[in-house]
Amino acid sequence: MKGVSVTWMTPSGRDPYDGWDWIEIVDQNNRRVTWDWACGQDHCGAYGSTLISANLEKGMEYKALYWSDGGRVTKGRLQAEFEFWA
């Protein structure tokens, strides 16, 4: 599997599953490459790591965005972001 592992931490008592938290990977033009739920199971706890499957081009710059309180109509609130190179 190819992709990126994103380690995350939320405030104590917050469950990313209940909060509809998700992680988006965008390219250097801010176009979505892929996304996945921060935690795909109930009772995740306040920290974890999510492996996001993606075919990333070697040497290219990408950004991981952590969104909380997402839903079907809205992205939610951007909580964190970091840049990385494949």
Side-chain angles (χ1 to χ4, degrees):
M1 173 187 272
K2 292 182 180 181
V4 61
S5 180
V6 178
T7 301
W8 46 265
M9 183 184 325
T10 66
S12 180
R14 178 174 173 78
D15 186 340
Y17 180 84
D18 292 336
W20 292 60
D21 294 5
W22 60 288
I23 300 166
E24 178 180 29
I25 306 298
V26 296
D27 65 16
Q28 55 195 2
N29 296 314
N30 284 323
R31 289 183 300 224
R32 179 184 292 166
V33 175
T34 191
W35 73 276
D36 204 349
W37 297 111
C39 177
Q41 60 192 20
D42 202 4
H43 307 297
C44 298
Y47 60 90
S49 186
T50 303
L51 181 59
I52 301 176
S53 178
N55 280 327
L56 304 177
E57 191 174 333
K58 186 176 181 178
M60 297 298 292
E61 183 178 356
Y62 295 92
K63 193 182 300 184
L65 308 171
Y66 188 103
W67 298 91
S68 70
D69 305 308
R72 294 179 185 197
V73 184
T74 177
K75 283 187 168 185
R77 291 189 306 249
L78 181 61
Q79 299 294 338
E81 63 182 272
F82 70 89
E83 295 177 355
F84 65 95
W85 285 262

